[in-house]
Amino acid sequence: MDIVVQPSVSWMDLNDQIKHSGLFFPVDPGPSARIGGMVGTNCSGTNAVRYGTMKDWVVNVTVVLADGTVIKTRRRPRKSSAGYNLTSLFVGSEGTLGLVTEITLKLAVVPPETSVAVVTFPTIRHAASAAAQVMRAGVPVAAMELMDEVQMKVVNRFSGTLSGVKDNIELVEEIAKRHGGGEFEFTRDADEQRTLWSARKEALWSMLALRQKGAEVWSTDVAVPLSRLADIIEISKREMDDLGLFAGVLGHIGDGNFHESILYDNTVPSERAKVERCVHDMVDRALEMEGTCTGEHGIGLGKKTFLAQELGPNTLLVMRSIKQALDPHWLMNPGKIMDVPG
């Protein structure tokens, strides 16, 4: 139940190749994502609420270090207590510690039964509150997604055995009604499931298709504890609407992670400035709520200041020491996560 791949393999192509085995790779970010980039950012996706993030599915990686040394972080067993957990060190390092050339991935069994449903709520706070209650009730949803009125609706997907799926649906419907939710609209077959779910997976691309000359989409994410999810989404949505631009909220609300996507004219400095302020306010708010500046997108160049704010100088010093030890000349993706020493 594992497979060895190289970094340029698409997760969608991988699942297509193994679809007749009864197994699948459950980490599902954007449709164009490839395994190497997914390792670099410790990405996740709609399935994270049940299956976890990339770090949970990487058995080992083969890495070329800055001096040309080739290492393999561990062997093939699913569990090991042998030495430092170097695999997790490289997963999420954004290419700053070495060049990943091969990855061993765990695979999961395809659930025998899956159901997809849509339910509407009177406000985005009602939707987020219902999502948090579903998680506290222990319902094993495979995914639970939020799309505001600009994007779509709330999409829930259930998976497991047939009897288990029916029981879970009944409990979620009960919780949703307590939070003002409407009737659940269920898909009738696998084709409808794919159609409905693709609307969520392709949300960003749909927004990109609306761009005119000079327009850009600013898409970013944060994550907070589930207990603060309704608060931050409600405030952030209101501030985003006040921009007067085409913008929407969507997210993996089952694990407290959500995104803002804002369409703006990059040729107008004042418009970009107000979008930047809105996004920065959202990140600051997440940190105030004991959250993180990025649930799955990574730090890159744009969130280095927030990383320092989130982790503090001592933690960053440890990270910098690791970087210095493995890449003393700062050759690997210089400037990402941390500034190159002056």
Side-chain angles (χ1 to χ4, degrees):
M1 293 177 60
D2 57 47
I3 191 168
V4 178
V5 300
Q6 292 183 320
S8 64
V9 172
S10 157
W11 70 270
M12 294 189 70
D13 288 344
L14 171 60
N15 277 334
D16 187 59
Q17 289 292 319
I18 64 174
K19 62 185 178 183
H20 299 299
S21 68
L23 302 173
F24 79 117
F25 181 62
V27 184
D28 63 334
S32 63
R34 298 178 184 271
I35 300 298
M38 293 164 67
V39 168
T41 58
N42 184 30
C43 78
S44 54
T46 62
N47 286 336
V49 64
R50 177 167 182 175
Y51 292 100
T53 65
M54 194 68 184
K55 64 177 173 54
D56 302 305
W57 294 89
V58 178
V59 177
N60 61 53
V61 291
T62 300
V63 184
V64 181
L65 301 179
D67 65 358
T69 302
V70 179
I71 67 167
K72 191 168 187 175
T73 54
R74 50 163 286 190
R75 293 197 173 186
R76 190 177 165 190
R78 285 206 165 198
K79 60 188 295 186
S80 171
S81 295
Y84 294 151
N85 187 354
L86 294 181
T87 304
S88 290
L89 177 65
F90 287 99
V91 176
S93 64
E94 300 187 28
T96 61
L97 302 180
L99 182 64
V100 175
T101 60
E102 193 171 81
I103 308 102
T104 302
L105 300 171
K106 303 175 193 175
L107 299 175
V109 176
V110 176
E113 183 73 18
T114 298
S115 181
V116 179
V118 177
V119 58
T120 59
F121 290 87
T123 69
I124 203 163
R125 169 175 276 277
H126 284 84
S129 297
Q133 187 62 49
V134 168
M135 298 308 300
R136 282 196 289 269
V139 180
V141 291
M144 185 155 47
E145 296 293 297
L146 172 72
M147 302 181 79
D148 67 5
E149 77 283 357
V150 176
Q151 296 280 359
M152 198 181 162
K153 300 176 181 179
V154 176
V155 180
N156 297 293
R157 183 169 60 182
F158 307 86
S159 65
T161 63
L162 181 58
S163 60
V165 166
K166 288 181 178 178
D167 291 342
N168 294 334
I169 288 172
E170 290 174 1
L171 179 54
V172 173
E173 284 183 313
E174 179 185 333
I175 293 171
K177 287 179 180 177
R178 291 205 301 264
H179 290 272
E183 294 298 319
F184 274 55
E185 300 174 31
F186 288 95
T187 53
R188 290 171 294 184
D189 52 38
D191 287 338
E192 281 195 1
Q193 288 183 18
R194 283 190 290 270
T195 299
L196 179 57
W197 205 249
S198 68
R200 166 60 185 92
K201 298 299 293 183
E202 296 172 8
L204 177 59
W205 277 260
S206 299
M207 182 172 276
L208 290 172
L210 297 174
R211 290 180 298 176
Q212 303 294 326
K213 185 177 180 180
E216 297 289 345
V217 173
W218 192 314
S219 180
T220 192
D221 80 312
V222 296
V224 297
L226 276 175
S227 60
R228 303 306 307 272
L229 182 62
D231 296 329
I232 190 170
I233 287 183
E234 182 179 49
I235 298 170
S236 300
K237 166 70 173 169
R238 183 170 63 245
E239 290 188 351
M240 190 179 60
D241 289 345
D242 288 343
L243 294 174
L245 301 173
F246 187 83
V249 169
L250 63 158
H252 320 304
I253 56 172
D255 52 13
N257 180 207
F258 79 99
H259 307 252
E260 283 187 352
S261 296
I262 307 171
L263 187 66
Y264 69 100
D265 190 341
N266 197 35
T267 65
V268 181
S270 60
E271 193 164 298
R272 177 184 169 85
K274 69 178 183 179
V275 171
E276 184 174 22
R277 182 71 268 154
C278 178
V279 169
H280 286 186
D281 286 346
M282 178 189 72
V283 178
D284 284 333
R285 191 174 300 115
L287 296 180
E288 290 170 2
M289 295 179 176
E290 298 184 275
T292 178
C293 64
T294 175
E296 59 185 14
H297 287 185
I299 298 298
L301 296 172
K303 288 190 172 179
K304 290 187 286 188
T305 301
F306 295 115
L307 179 67
Q309 185 179 339
E310 178 175 336
L311 299 181
N314 291 337
T315 303
L316 277 184
L317 183 59
V318 172
M319 294 172 63
R320 186 175 291 274
S321 298
I322 294 170
K323 169 69 171 175
Q324 190 70 31
L326 294 179
D327 182 15
H329 301 294
W330 291 67
L331 302 174
M332 312 299 289
N333 234 0
K336 297 293 179 66
I337 299 182
M338 294 170 287
D339 289 332
V340 178

